[in-house]
Every structure is written in C-alpha cells, then in structure tokens.
Amino acid sequence: MNVNRVIEMLQKRYPDAKCELQYSTPFELMVATILSAQCTDVRVNIITSDLFKTYSEPCDFTAMEQEKLEGLIKSCGFYKNKAKNIIGAANMIVHTYGGKVPDTMKELLKLPGVGRKTANVILSNAFFKDAIAVDTHVFRVSKRIGLADADNPDGVERQLMEIIPKEKWSLAHHLLIFHGRRTCKARKPLCDECTIQGECKYYNSVYGGKS
C-alpha cells in the first residue's frame, strides 16, 4: 500500500477533515474528548454548548459536586464515571499544573480519564503537535484497509506512526475518522463509493479488485 497516495486521495475526498468537537481552550477540548467516549461528537457538542457557558475553566469544576455534573452530562452515557474523571482532572490541573492543561503525553496521562487517545487529541488539536489519536474509527479503518494489523489501539498507533510521515500524523487521524464516518462504516462499508478501492486490503480481498 502506498500510504502517501492513500492520504492524498482521502484529503481530496475530505478537504474539510478536522476535529468536530467544539471548544475554545485546551481544557474545554479535554472535557469534550472525555465526554466523547462511546458518544457522538454531535451529542457532545450539544452538551458542551450549554455546559461551557457556565463551566469552562478547571476551577469551575473543582468545587462542583459530582452529582451536579452528572446531571449536566447525563445524555452522553457513562456519565457517572465521566463526571468523576472530569472533576478529578480539573483538580489535578489546578493543584499540580497551575491551572494549565499540560502539553506532554507523560503529564497528560497522569490526569484522570485521560488515556492515549484523549492525550493525542489534545496534543494534536490544542497544542498543534504531531500525534495520531486512535479512536474506534481510526482503529477499524486502519485495520480494514490494511494500514495496520495490531490487536489493540496502542499497537495500531505505533504501526501508523511507523508508516505515516510524522508531519502528516494529525491530518491522517482526521482523514481516517471522516472516512470511517462517511464511507468505511462499521456495519456496511460503502465500497462502491470509496476513492481508495485500489489501495484497500478489504476491497481487494472481497471484490478481487473488481468494481
């Protein structure tokens, strides 16, 4: 597979590929990304459009009762654990990092509720660092089209970092997400509409390269 060609074709197909979570600060992005686990970006944006009007800084959450936050984010699912993590992360940011979201993987991973995917989203979008966040779409699409074959997100991340030029990591992340949402869907990929058929492992194995 020609990785650069795949990225080029996907970029032409999805010129608007970008982070679809709405935020204005690194902290807001962290909150939104934590909320996005097992939840659509559309739903998260609905929740945060109201939440961030009143609560947008780490200190706004440090004194908040968990039950109150649970009520504000309940429609996103897994709200109890997410509320606990957001409050815990806010407290650590305030008391350990001077109120600022850290900008390194090592420090971000110390925050409650922040795993590699969330950390990479923050590093890439809030701090403009080269990073590949492997969410469900990136994981599925990468394995399906033949960019990776690891059995877990961390493994897929490592494999993608090896074959994709570093300066294209963040772009590739967004392109794979858009491709997964719009074309290479989980239950039934729209292979007849796909622009990377010739490079796709799945397409060639199922259809033998025939349109």
Side-chain angles (χ1 to χ4, degrees), residues 29-195:
L29 178 58
M30 185 203 75
V31 171
T33 308
I34 290 175
L35 292 176
S36 71
Q38 303 298 313
C39 183
T40 66
D41 287 357
V42 173
R43 169 55 56 185
V44 172
N45 288 337
I46 291 173
I47 293 171
T48 57
S49 65
D50 288 330
L51 181 68
F52 292 159
K53 289 177 182 177
T54 306
Y55 309 99
S56 62
E57 299 291 336
C59 59
D60 296 330
F61 292 86
T62 56
M64 184 185 295
E65 292 291 333
Q66 182 175 323
E67 291 76 11
K68 180 176 179 62
L69 182 55
E70 288 175 4
L72 297 172
I73 66 173
K74 191 171 184 177
S75 63
C76 75
F78 301 99
Y79 62 93
K80 290 183 179 293
N81 197 48
K82 291 177 182 180
K84 178 182 178 181
N85 285 333
I86 289 171
I87 292 174
N91 273 285
M92 181 172 283
I93 289 169
V94 169
H95 299 298
T96 304
Y97 299 112
K100 302 291 185 181
V101 176
D103 63 354
T104 67
M105 174 64 74
K106 180 179 179 180
E107 300 303 320
L108 284 169
L109 291 178
K110 295 178 181 180
L111 300 175
V114 176
R116 288 195 64 87
K117 185 209 79 171
T118 297
N120 277 320
V121 168
I122 296 169
L123 291 172
S124 174
N125 296 284
F127 297 114
F128 308 105
K129 296 188 176 185
D130 299 315
I132 298 179
V134 179
D135 67 355
T136 55
H137 296 292
V138 175
F139 183 76
R140 181 184 72 253
V141 174
S142 296
K143 289 171 65 70
R144 181 181 280 166
I145 69 177
L147 288 176
D149 59 8
D151 295 327
N152 56 75
D154 288 355
V156 167
E157 180 188 342
R158 288 192 295 271
Q159 291 178 335
L160 293 178
M161 290 169 68
E162 290 176 359
I163 65 172
I164 298 173
K166 186 176 181 179
E167 68 274 11
K168 296 182 179 180
W169 286 354
S170 296
L171 171 63
H173 159 73
H174 294 305
L175 291 173
L176 290 170
I177 288 177
F178 268 54
H179 192 53
R181 287 175 176 168
R182 302 183 182 185
T183 305
C184 197
K185 300 184 178 182
R187 293 187 178 180
K188 187 177 181 182
L190 306 179
C191 293
D192 57 333
E193 300 178 14
C194 183
T195 58

Side-chain angles (χ1 to χ4, degrees), residues 191-201 203-204 210-211:
C191 293
D192 57 333
E193 300 178 14
C194 183
T195 58
I196 61 170
Q197 293 175 352
E199 300 289 339
C200 178
K201 175 183 176 182
Y203 180 83
N204 284 284
K210 299 178 180 179
S211 301

